[in-house]
Amino acid sequence: MVDDKERNMKCLTFFLMLPETVKNRSKKSSKKTNPSSSSSNSSSKLPPVCYEIITLKTKKKKKMAADIFPRKKPASSSSSTVQQHHQQNLSNNNLIPAPNWQGLYPTIRERNAVMFNNDLMADVHFVVGPPGGTQRLPGHKYVLAVGSSVFHAMFYGELAEDKDEIRIPDVDPAAFLAMLKYIYCDEIDLAADTVLATLYAAKKYIVPHLARACVNFLETSLSAKNACVLLSQSCLFEEPDLTQRCWEVIDAQAELALKSEGFCDIDFQTLESILRRETLNAKEIVVFEAALNWAEVECQRQDLALSIENKRKVLGKALYLIRIPTMALDDFANGAAQSGVLTLNETNDIFLWYTAAKKPELQFVSKARKGLVPQRCHRFQSCAYRSNQWRYRGRCDSIQFAVDKRVFIAGFGLYGSSCGSAEYSAKIELKRQGGVLGQNLSKEFSDGFYTASVILDGNELSYFGQEGMTEVQCGKVTVQFQCSSDSTNGTGVQGGQIPELIFYA
């Protein structure tokens, strides 16, 4: 049995930079002199790119409203007639239904759905959308009042409106139709380009189940590319769970989030909250460049000329939330100092802060961000080496794993040489159902086991793990392991390579 400290010293840290080949040199010569590779690698700050792992769910699967209210096929044999009426509802053709159309639908839900977007018996109309982009939609006060307390107050309350036409300029027509479809048909039809507008409509008219479905849709489509925009919207809509999920993605994949186009679309308040964030896993020069990109787009939104002065103007006090003194000197000298955004006095003071014994006072925060602390899941209780193991000739060492909470995989630990200085060529992969996962892992929302693989090629033997565990508790995360069919070099649950999973949680 070895303790965590000794075990870490026997492990190389390989980060997930797919699909490149990573080289690492082991500089220790024997077990007595810390036989595997450098501990400096294992303690260095992890890169900002990591890959989201979805949980292995052990509880009953939560259903979205669309699952709870599936669309049913009518029992009537006149399927073509039914389809005709359904198409009528979608396109609002205002066709006169066939005689006794009610007999075509066996349930009140299906008969009620015929009225969706249908002028038949409509007693109110909505003119939805901004000027120049409006759409006139029919409605039935009773159905709407049953589906929304706001519509109930509007049509049957003490201050009920006695209007045949109601204008709603602040709601997108497609989003309003999606809300009506839910109210009339118990069906949810969400799309990525309209889900935020639908959430707004659901919040405005207090349709909570539709709003919850919109939030679920946003959570399952969350990625580093849209996390900043969704953070801004989640704060606006007061959705704390979605806000927390956005922060998790932004913290773990900060550089991808800051470089995304969506970052430039956030409001000033969200910009400040991101720049203040203590746990951003990003270089400060990336934060600085992202802020300048935002400022350029903000100038365009405010119809200001794209000048250095205007960029600084729109950034305002948020500029001082960027921790410029914590940049590497090269990053500051070649980037921030030459950007023109800083005044001459600010540039001189920061250079003095880097070099002088007596440092000047700065308006910028001079303490580096803490970032995220990576967690390490050790799956072996001990390690060893023998004269004929562990040998590499480009074969694959692989292990499958699953987690009970969302985590972001950043890399794997690997054992190094047991015979002195040696060089290995290592290609590491993270797989799901045979496919290599990349930066778009957050879009893969399926449960089950993922596969950690490494193909090592080198002449020297290395250490290997033994007394492996099928389940490891790592903080609040439980990790399960099982053997992988991809493993062709002997690694399995009980022993072999890949002793560590490195992740953020």
Side-chain angles (χ1 to χ4, degrees), residues 387-395 397 456 458-462 489:
S387 59
N388 60 344
Q389 290 182 307
W390 199 264
R391 191 177 297 278
Y392 306 105
R393 290 294 185 270
R395 294 188 293 265
D397 286 287
L456 282 166
N459 294 322
E460 295 298 334
L461 303 177
S462 84
N489 199 43

Side-chain angles (χ1 to χ4, degrees), residues 467-485:
E467 299 180 273
M469 296 173 283
T470 58
E471 184 173 295
V472 179
Q473 189 70 32
C474 189
K476 296 182 180 180
V477 179
T478 301
V479 186
Q480 299 175 16
F481 293 97
Q482 70 179 29
C483 294
S484 168
S485 59

Side-chain angles (χ1 to χ4, degrees), residues 401-453:
F401 67 94
V403 292
D404 65 342
K405 290 182 176 60
R406 292 176 184 268
V407 300
F408 292 84
I409 291 292
F412 312 141
L414 301 176
Y415 287 117
S417 171
S418 61
C419 305
S421 179
E423 184 176 79
Y424 299 92
S425 175
K427 180 180 180 181
I428 62 174
E429 293 179 330
L430 184 64
K431 300 178 181 178
R432 169 63 179 152
Q433 296 179 340
V436 177
L437 301 175
Q439 296 177 3
N440 293 328
L441 177 57
S442 56
K443 295 182 179 179
E444 301 288 338
F445 288 88
S446 54
D447 300 326
F449 279 80
Y450 293 78
T451 303
S453 295

Side-chain angles (χ1 to χ4, degrees), residues 3 22 59 61 157 161 177 203 309 317 401 410 422 470:
D3 60 20
V22 185
K59 298 181 180 180
K61 181 180 179 182
E161 298 183 21
L177 268 175
K203 289 279 188 175
E309 293 76 13
K317 294 183 179 180
F401 67 94
T470 58

Side-chain angles (χ1 to χ4, degrees), residues 228-466:
C228 295
V229 172
L230 293 185
L231 173 67
S232 177
Q233 297 298 321
S234 66
C235 295
L236 175 65
F237 294 132
E238 297 181 346
E239 289 289 343
D241 292 341
L242 179 58
T243 299
Q244 178 59 31
R245 283 285 297 117
C246 290
W247 278 126
E248 290 173 2
V249 174
I250 292 171
D251 283 342
Q253 299 178 302
E255 294 201 0
L256 289 176
L258 293 173
K259 293 178 180 179
S260 67
E261 292 183 6
F263 178 80
C264 295
D265 296 330
I266 62 177
D267 58 273
F268 183 77
Q269 186 177 359
T270 304
L271 173 70
E272 286 187 309
S273 65
I274 293 175
L275 296 182
R276 284 194 182 99
R277 191 73 174 173
E278 189 72 25
T279 47
L280 283 183
N281 252 21
K283 294 180 180 178
E284 207 62 31
I285 186 62
V286 175
V287 178
F288 177 80
E289 291 171 349
L292 290 188
N293 291 336
W294 179 90
E296 182 175 334
V297 176
E298 182 65 15
C299 286
Q300 295 173 355
R301 284 192 287 262
Q302 297 186 20
D303 293 326
L304 299 174
L306 292 180
S307 64
I308 297 296
E309 293 76 13
N310 285 335
K311 288 183 182 180
R312 183 174 176 117
K313 177 182 177 181
V314 297
L315 282 172
K317 294 183 179 180
L319 177 64
Y320 297 108
L321 298 176
I322 306 171
R323 307 187 183 191
I324 294 178
T326 69
M327 292 181 185
L329 181 56
D330 288 347
D331 287 340
F332 173 71
N334 298 319
Q338 299 187 42
S339 66
V341 174
L342 304 179
T343 65
L344 183 59
N345 287 337
E346 288 170 344
T347 303
N348 290 337
D349 285 346
I350 294 174
F351 268 120
L352 287 174
W353 193 92
Y354 278 110
T355 57
K358 185 178 179 180
K359 300 185 183 299
E361 292 186 4
L362 301 174
Q363 289 184 274
F364 297 93
V365 180
S366 58
K367 184 180 179 181
R369 302 178 196 271
K370 293 180 180 178
L372 288 181
V373 178
Q375 298 187 43
R376 295 172 182 269
C377 174
H378 305 281
R379 69 186 192 92
F380 296 128
Q381 300 182 67
S382 64
C383 66
Y385 69 95
R386 300 192 188 106
S387 59
N388 60 344
Q389 290 182 307
W390 199 264
R391 191 177 297 278
Y392 306 105
R393 290 294 185 270
R395 294 188 293 265
C396 181
D397 286 287
S398 183
I399 191 70
Q400 290 190 353
F401 67 94
V403 292
D404 65 342
K405 290 182 176 60
R406 292 176 184 268
V407 300
F408 292 84
I409 291 292
F412 312 141
L414 301 176
Y415 287 117
S417 171
S418 61
C419 305
S421 179
E423 184 176 79
Y424 299 92
S425 175
K427 180 180 180 181
I428 62 174
E429 293 179 330
L430 184 64
K431 300 178 181 178
R432 169 63 179 152
Q433 296 179 340
V436 177
L437 301 175
Q439 296 177 3
N440 293 328
L441 177 57
S442 56
K443 295 182 179 179
E444 301 288 338
F445 288 88
S446 54
D447 300 326
F449 279 80
Y450 293 78
T451 303
S453 295
V454 58
I455 299 176
L456 282 166
D457 199 356
N459 294 322
E460 295 298 334
L461 303 177
S462 84
Y463 285 86
F464 61 92
Q466 56 188 12

Side-chain angles (χ1 to χ4, degrees), residues 10-311:
K10 292 190 175 75
C11 262
L12 305 170
T13 297
F14 280 72
F15 302 129
L16 281 172
M17 297 183 292
L18 307 180
E20 299 175 2
T21 298
V22 185
K23 289 199 175 184
N24 199 311
R25 183 179 297 274
S26 177
K27 298 181 179 180
K28 308 298 180 180
S29 59
S30 69
K31 187 174 183 180
K32 292 182 180 180
T33 58
N34 299 329
S36 74
S37 85
S38 62
S39 60
S40 61
N41 280 347
S42 61
S43 62
S44 61
K45 185 176 179 181
L46 298 184
V49 178
C50 51
Y51 305 95
E52 186 175 7
I53 296 296
I54 310 306
T55 62
L56 173 64
K57 296 181 181 177
T58 56
K59 298 181 180 180
K60 186 177 180 181
K61 181 180 179 182
K62 294 181 180 179
K63 292 184 178 180
M64 293 179 61
D67 298 321
I68 298 173
F69 305 116
R71 189 169 143 196
K72 297 179 181 179
K73 295 181 179 180
S76 172
S77 60
S78 305
S79 58
S80 60
T81 306
V82 172
Q83 183 62 31
Q84 177 185 354
H85 286 299
H86 180 65
Q87 183 61 37
Q88 168 192 333
N89 296 342
L90 294 177
S91 60
N92 192 21
N93 289 326
N94 301 321
L95 300 176
I96 299 175
N100 300 322
W101 61 268
Q102 294 88 342
L104 298 174
Y105 302 92
T107 67
I108 184 63
R109 173 177 171 271
E110 291 171 307
R111 291 192 293 274
N112 199 55
V114 174
M115 296 296 101
F116 164 60
N117 201 20
N118 194 332
D119 268 318
L120 179 66
M121 294 184 284
D123 50 3
V124 66
H125 283 80
F126 301 95
V127 179
V128 186
T134 59
Q135 188 172 344
R136 194 170 187 269
L137 303 174
H140 306 78
K141 293 181 180 180
Y142 167 74
V143 178
L144 296 170
V146 170
S148 162
S149 59
V150 174
F151 284 130
H152 181 273
M154 184 185 297
F155 301 133
Y156 301 104
E158 294 180 358
L159 302 177
E161 298 183 21
D162 189 18
K163 297 180 180 179
D164 294 332
E165 188 173 273
I166 298 174
R167 295 186 177 275
I168 308 177
D170 60 330
V171 177
D172 180 75
F176 196 81
L177 268 175
M179 182 180 67
L180 292 185
K181 186 173 184 179
Y182 170 74
I183 292 175
Y184 279 80
C185 312
D186 279 344
E187 293 181 16
I188 293 180
D189 187 11
L190 299 176
D193 56 344
T194 59
V195 63
L196 284 172
T198 304
L199 177 58
Y200 173 77
K203 289 279 188 175
K204 177 176 181 177
Y205 292 98
I206 312 180
V207 187
H209 297 292
L210 176 61
R212 186 66 251 168
C214 291
V215 172
N216 289 342
F217 183 96
L218 291 171
E219 287 182 349
T220 56
S221 60
L222 183 60
S223 70
K225 294 181 179 180
N226 61 16
C228 295
V229 172
L230 293 185
L231 173 67
S232 177
Q233 297 298 321
S234 66
C235 295
L236 175 65
F237 294 132
E238 297 181 346
E239 289 289 343
D241 292 341
L242 179 58
T243 299
Q244 178 59 31
R245 283 285 297 117
C246 290
W247 278 126
E248 290 173 2
V249 174
I250 292 171
D251 283 342
Q253 299 178 302
E255 294 201 0
L256 289 176
L258 293 173
K259 293 178 180 179
S260 67
E261 292 183 6
F263 178 80
C264 295
D265 296 330
I266 62 177
D267 58 273
F268 183 77
Q269 186 177 359
T270 304
L271 173 70
E272 286 187 309
S273 65
I274 293 175
L275 296 182
R276 284 194 182 99
R277 191 73 174 173
E278 189 72 25
T279 47
L280 283 183
N281 252 21
K283 294 180 180 178
E284 207 62 31
I285 186 62
V286 175
V287 178
F288 177 80
E289 291 171 349
L292 290 188
N293 291 336
W294 179 90
E296 182 175 334
V297 176
E298 182 65 15
C299 286
Q300 295 173 355
R301 284 192 287 262
Q302 297 186 20
D303 293 326
L304 299 174
L306 292 180
S307 64
I308 297 296
E309 293 76 13
N310 285 335
K311 288 183 182 180

